[in-house]
Amino acid sequence: MRIDKYLWAVRLFKTRSQAAEACRNGRVFIHEEAVKAAREIKIGEVFDVKQHGVKFTYQAVGVPPSRVGAALVPQYLSDLTPAEEKAKLTAQRSVSAFEYRERGAGRPTKKERREIDRYKEEDIFED
């Protein structure tokens, strides 16, 4: 099965075109080499996918006949991502949680926008 089709079938990407774009942009790796969307994936092969600044590592356990439901994904894909990489993702989410607004909360007030801007400016200059 093509790698772009596999990534879509095991729900790592919402659409197949997004999976193909990730391959085109060099965000999918097998043996530390960027792969093209047409490359065939083999059972037992380990591959990396860069998303949101985090390098996720997976192993192909099986080849699905087509897109599978979320409950069936573990039959075809094994997550080997180290805990340190997953910690990066939670750290990013905690930083961006400051901007997150609950659904139905409406637009931020002028005061809230100023606080958000102040927070972003402090974050930029701390590095």
Side-chain angles (χ1 to χ4, degrees):
M1 178 180 271
R2 291 170 53 112
I3 187 105
D4 63 336
K5 190 172 182 182
Y6 181 82
L7 295 172
W8 166 77
V10 294
R11 299 181 165 270
L12 292 179
F13 290 93
K14 196 170 187 176
T15 65
R16 185 170 169 189
S17 60
Q18 287 175 344
E21 183 181 342
C23 292
R24 233 183 349 266
N25 293 334
R27 290 183 280 160
V28 180
F29 303 90
I30 295 179
H31 305 297
E32 303 297 325
E33 290 183 21
V35 296
K36 293 183 178 181
R39 186 186 186 290
E40 295 289 320
I41 186 88
K42 298 174 184 91
I43 295 174
E45 210 160 28
V46 177
F47 60 94
D48 300 317
V49 178
K50 280 189 180 177
Q51 287 181 317
H52 312 293
V54 179
K55 190 174 184 179
F56 295 95
T57 305
Y58 301 102
Q59 182 177 18
V61 179
V63 178
S66 65
R67 189 164 170 97
V68 294
L72 300 177
V73 169
Q75 295 176 6
Y76 303 103
L77 182 73
S78 177
D79 187 2
L80 305 175
T81 307
E84 306 87 51
E85 289 293 321
K86 290 183 180 180
K88 286 183 193 176
L89 188 61
T90 55
Q92 288 176 359
R93 286 183 181 159
S94 66
V95 168
S96 65
F98 185 75
E99 280 188 55
Y100 178 75
R101 295 184 62 78
E102 290 294 324
R103 186 175 176 91
R107 294 173 54 175
T109 64
K110 194 170 189 176
K111 180 181 178 183
E112 290 170 335
R113 282 197 315 267
R114 286 182 185 144
E115 289 174 357
I116 290 170
D117 290 342
R118 202 172 304 122
Y119 176 76
K120 283 183 175 179
E121 286 175 10
E122 289 173 10
D123 192 29
I124 290 170
F125 295 117
E126 285 182 4
D127 292 334

